[in-house]
Amino acid sequence: MKFGICQWNLPVDGPEGCYELVKLGLDGMELSFSEELIENLDEYRKSALETGVEFPSIGMNVFCGQSYITAGSESFFESEIEKALKCASYFDSKTIQIPAFFASDIKTEVELEMAAKNLKKACEMAEKYNIYIGTENALDAENNLKLFSMVNHPLFKFYFDNQNLWRMKGKKCESVLHTMKDQIIEVHAKDSLVNDGKQKWMPLGTGDAEFFSSMDLLKNIDYNGWILLENDYNLNFSNYDYESAIKKDLQVLKNIFKCLR
């Protein structure tokens, strides 16, 4: 079991984040795909080599702002995926994480079919790099099975987040976890509450985002891969320093999975 953080939640920008991870006791970082990343590949790799920090995955948050589930999205989608695959190969990252939220939130059968078409193409593009394509979505178990049946590719995997289904759809994630347990490639861990319609990020285990129940389910299926912190330490953790907040969340995870290091 290894623990890391999503780059977009680390309050230190760029390659310097690797040195911060060492102080925090984290093993790695899910990189955020961006032009800044492409322009600074050597600096990122140098920092990783000097610190021993790993980059297990690259997150494609670009697709939260621009849809890949609508007709005409193919060209942009493939262009971004090809660039991300080259970055991942450079870092020996094993997974490209593709979210299905906001502009790419799958609500209809037509959108599901379009998402499957693009995701299948991404898997085919990933074959020469032997890199996994992970879907992070808020679909229920039935629709995830449909999606996986449509894509039908060995490099296609499920990227689990303990909060997505509950916060976005009001549904429990137990069924999804059990259904997709053999396809899980990585995990996002976070917690929050909603007050007066506004989401407030909370230390792990103190919100209502199914954190403990999800982690227990992961233990029961013997999950032993990466877990990446995705609380937004830039926002609601201002009452105390983010280093303490991250270290506390990391210790919660280690206690659950009985990691002694």
Side-chain angles (χ1 to χ4, degrees):
M1 175 90 48
K2 291 184 178 181
F3 302 103
I5 192 169
C6 298
Q7 185 178 21
W8 50 95
N9 298 121
L10 182 68
V12 176
D13 294 330
E16 292 299 314
C18 292
Y19 303 97
E20 189 68 12
L21 258 66
V22 174
K23 293 194 298 181
L24 297 169
L26 294 164
D27 303 304
M29 178 163 58
E30 178 181 357
L31 293 171
S32 180
F33 176 73
S34 65
E35 290 302 316
E36 184 272 337
L37 176 65
I38 294 170
E39 292 168 2
N40 294 283
L41 293 177
D42 291 339
E43 288 79 2
Y44 274 92
R45 186 158 72 172
K46 178 176 179 290
S47 297
L49 290 172
E50 288 179 351
T51 59
V53 164
E54 297 180 56
F55 301 141
S57 51
I58 295 179
M60 303 296 291
N61 292 327
V62 61
F63 296 126
C64 291
Q66 186 155 342
S67 171
Y68 69 90
I69 64 170
T70 50
S73 62
E74 297 93 332
S75 178
F76 177 76
F77 179 82
E78 291 174 24
S79 173
E80 296 299 280
I81 292 298
E82 182 60 34
K83 289 186 285 186
L85 285 168
K86 289 178 179 177
C87 291
S89 178
Y90 187 76
F91 296 130
D92 198 28
S93 303
K94 302 301 182 187
T95 303
I96 300 293
Q97 180 258 112
I98 302 180
F101 311 120
F102 304 108
S104 297
D105 184 16
I106 302 167
K107 301 185 185 75
T108 69
E109 191 71 23
V110 171
E111 290 171 339
L112 187 69
E113 291 172 359
M114 190 66 217
K117 177 183 176 181
N118 275 330
L119 291 166
K120 185 176 184 67
K121 179 63 176 181
C123 292
E124 292 168 353
M125 295 168 67
E127 288 173 2
K128 65 180 178 180
Y129 301 99
N130 197 31
I131 290 173
Y132 292 107
I133 300 297
T135 173
E136 185 187 1
N137 62 59
L139 298 172
D140 59 19
E142 180 183 357
N143 281 299
N144 263 297
L145 287 175
K146 284 184 182 179
L147 179 64
F148 271 73
S149 177
M150 291 176 186
V151 175
N152 190 28
H153 197 286
L155 290 178
F156 192 51
K157 297 295 180 181
F158 183 66
Y159 205 111
F160 176 68
D161 181 300
N162 67 278
Q163 178 173 273
N164 289 339
L165 196 58
W166 171 246
R167 187 65 70 227
M168 297 182 181
K169 306 292 182 179
K171 298 180 179 179
K172 298 287 187 179
C173 66
E174 182 174 0
S175 176
V176 171
L177 258 179
H178 279 301
T179 301
M180 306 308 297
K181 63 182 180 180
D182 294 330
Q183 300 294 342
I184 296 173
I185 189 68
E186 282 185 7
V187 171
H188 282 163
K190 57 187 177 231
D191 213 343
S192 66
L193 290 170
V194 173
N195 291 318
D196 297 325
K198 295 182 179 179
Q199 179 172 291
K200 180 181 180 181
W201 297 100
M202 302 293 292
L204 294 181
T206 65
D208 66 358
E210 294 197 282
F211 171 73
F212 280 123
S213 60
S214 296
M215 296 305 116
D216 285 342
L217 287 167
L218 288 170
K219 283 178 63 178
N220 289 340
I221 63 173
D222 296 321
Y223 178 76
N224 195 36
W226 280 91
I227 298 181
L228 297 131
L229 298 171
E230 203 186 12
N231 267 336
D232 199 333
Y233 303 99
N234 290 291
L235 293 176
N236 300 116
F237 289 85
S238 57
N239 291 334
Y240 55 106
D241 68 282
Y242 73 85
E243 290 189 15
S244 294
I246 291 173
K247 286 179 179 179
K248 288 178 181 177
D249 278 354
L250 174 60
Q251 192 58 54
V252 169
L253 286 171
K254 287 186 173 183
N255 289 344
I256 291 171
F257 291 96
K258 295 180 169 44
C259 296
L260 301 178
R261 57 185 176 74

